[in-house]
């Protein structure tokens, strides 16, 4: 690479380099990366000289697509191409057209032969790729392309989804033909090819939960390709699959990922900070403002949550978990510690060096079963038929406090832990009417936690809540309401 810019053609070897060894899986995306780099640093005049610095994705979008191409993040790829009337728009341009226009000397047969050698893909499959349009995709994918270019060193990433072009002298150089392992790949040098493949597949399944894992994924691909390029053609059949439910639309997932990135960037600053945003209260169907100190992120119940301490939806200084897809603000507002909007209680905790930590959250989660770790503890007593418990409950790990308990020990536990006289008496009566041959379990839970309630629903109708009585009554109401749906 000279100081002139990105002058490489989209040859199989260059695309293989840009894909970090993942060309077989990401051919269309890699061609998009090549196009973006070609426009940013290759053709004259460079976009790097005309783009505002810093720039964001909309600046790129306006240069890429025709006026008739949809701008909405909520549109699917099919809707975007179907409604774009300009046939010269990039969304209608096939991979084969790109190759012919920018690299006419490279014949299709030569390209297919070299590509098949690098990827292990059959010629018929590669021909299908040639007929596809790389830019017939959702805007979220292109935003992710910019993130990947920044991870690879082609762009400088800035807060709030902004980027800055780097000088052409600092652009990455392609590896020599016999490249040695990079520092990241060397970390996995002790893994066999089969172990590397399994690790790669597991991490790729988890990368959507934690985008930073993509760096490790790239290192594993380097491990496979740098040691022995033939390994790509010897990929073993996948035998282990991980299925993680993620209930968000592509547009909402992009918004959530932006929030996550903004929070992680805040954690990366020396002094951190406080954030303000509006959040939806689903049951009340209204928005409320909160000002909180972000502590840690969780993937739980098929969504991403922020555990934070500060002014909660009720205006109290307390812990709260916020679903990121229910944040109503377009962006999180970051407050410096000197800002008058920062609650005095948070300032005092910071001054004393006692700001909440992720370790404190973990300790609370270990105390009782339930994701809402700030709710009060309650003792949960469960009864199961012995046969059901044998197959579905025994020898499973639900929580550190979840354990079997002998029927004969239940009365003593109730008298010790249930202090309300009336509830204690009613619970003992319930136990006396149950069979000693059934299986019983005890666990500490967070009162009213939906995560616990969802598990109890999964155990119905075989599981019975003995205590607390309030939870027992709530389940009875649910069962009655559900039964009404089938009464006719």
């Amino acid at each position: 690479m000279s100081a002139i810019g990105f002058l490489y053609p989209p040859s199989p070897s260059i695309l293989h380099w840009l894909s970090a060894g993942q060309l077989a899986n990401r051919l269309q995306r890699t061609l998009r990366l090549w196009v973006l780099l070609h426009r940013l640093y290759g053709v004259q005049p460079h976009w790097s000289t005309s783009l505002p610095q810093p720039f964001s994705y909309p600046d790129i979008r306006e240069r890429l697509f025709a006026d008739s191409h949809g701008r909405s993040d909520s549109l699917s790829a099919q809707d975007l191409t179907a409604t774009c009337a300009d046939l010269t728009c990039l969304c209608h341009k096939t991979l084969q057209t790109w190759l012919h226009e920018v690299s006419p000397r490279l014949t299709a047969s030569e390209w297919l032969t070299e590509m098949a050698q690098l990827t292990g893909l059959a010629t018929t499959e590669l021909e299908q790729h040639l007929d596809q349009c790389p830019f017939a995709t959702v805007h979220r994918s292109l935003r992710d392309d910019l993130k990947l270019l920044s991870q690879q060193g082609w762009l400088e990433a800035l807060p709030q989804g902004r980027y800055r072009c780097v000088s052409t002298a600092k652009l990455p150089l392609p590896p020599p033909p016999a490249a040695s392992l990079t520092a990241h790949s060397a970390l996995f040098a002790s893994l066999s090819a089969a172990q590397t493949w399994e690790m790669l597949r597991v991490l790729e399944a988890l990368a959507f939960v934690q985008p930073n894992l993509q760096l490790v994924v790239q290192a594993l691909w380097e491990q496979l390709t740098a040691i022995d390029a033939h390994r790509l053609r010897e990929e073993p059949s996948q035998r282990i699959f991980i299925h993680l439910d993620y209930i968000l639309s592509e547009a909402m997932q992009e918004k959530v990922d932006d929030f996550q990135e903004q929070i992680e960037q805040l954690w990366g600053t020396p002094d951190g900070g406080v954030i303000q945003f509006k959040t939806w209260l689903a049951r009340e169907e209204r928005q409320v403002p909160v000002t909180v100190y972000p502590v840690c992120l969780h993937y739980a119940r098929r969504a991403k949550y922020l555990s934070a301490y500060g002014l909660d939806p009720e205006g109290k200084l307390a812990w709260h978990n916020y679903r990121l897809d229910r944040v109503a603000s377009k962006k999180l507002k970051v407050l410096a510690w000197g800002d008058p909007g920062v609650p005095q209680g948070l300032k005092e905790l910071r001054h004393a060096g006692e700001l909440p930590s992720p370790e404190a959250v973990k300790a609370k989660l270990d105390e009782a079963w339930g994701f809402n770790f700030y709710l009060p503890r309650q003792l949960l007593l469960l009864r199961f038929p012995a046969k059901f418990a044998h197959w579905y409950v025994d020898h499973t790990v639900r929580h550190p406090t979840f354990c079997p308990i002998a029927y004969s020990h239940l009365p003593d536990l109730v008298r010790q832990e249930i202090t309300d006289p009336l509830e204690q008496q009613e619970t003992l009566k319930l136990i006396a009417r149950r069979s000693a041959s059934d299986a019983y379990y005890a666990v500490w839970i967070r009162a009213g936690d939906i995560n616990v309630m969802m598990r109890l629903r999964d155990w119905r109708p075989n599981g019975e809540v003995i205590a607390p009585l309030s939870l027992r009554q709530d389940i009875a109401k649910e069962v009655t309401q559900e039964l009404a749906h089938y009464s006719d």
Side-chain angles (χ1 to χ4, degrees), residues 11-22:
S11 64
S13 60
I14 292 300
L15 295 178
H16 186 260
W17 164 50
L18 292 178
S19 73
Q22 302 185 59

Side-chain angles (χ1 to χ4, degrees), residues 254-265:
E254 180 179 352
K255 182 180 179 182
V256 167
D257 287 349
D258 287 344
F259 290 150
Q260 178 176 347
E261 182 179 2
Q262 193 176 356
I263 292 169
E264 290 181 343
Q265 288 175 349

Side-chain angles (χ1 to χ4, degrees), residues 341-395:
V342 176
Q344 184 61 31
L346 284 178
K347 292 182 178 180
E348 292 173 357
L349 287 173
R350 175 175 175 267
H351 182 72
E354 297 177 355
L355 282 170
S357 67
E359 291 75 20
V361 174
K362 185 178 184 305
K364 287 288 187 181
L365 289 170
D366 288 342
E367 288 178 4
W369 189 17
F371 180 55
N372 293 332
F373 55 88
Y374 40 83
L375 295 175
R377 289 202 320 164
Q378 285 183 316
L379 178 66
L380 172 64
L381 297 179
L382 293 167
R383 182 192 65 84
F384 300 97
K387 187 175 181 179
F388 178 86
H390 174 72
W391 289 108
Y392 300 104
V393 186
D394 292 348
H395 310 298

Side-chain angles (χ1 to χ4, degrees), residues 26 68 94 101 123 142 185 214 232 236 264 301 343 379 383 389 403 462 465:
R26 299 182 177 180
S68 61
T94 65
E101 289 182 358
T123 302
L142 294 165
S185 298
Q214 191 60 44
L232 279 176
E264 290 181 343
R301 300 200 303 268
L379 178 66
R383 182 192 65 84
C403 60
N462 296 283
V465 171

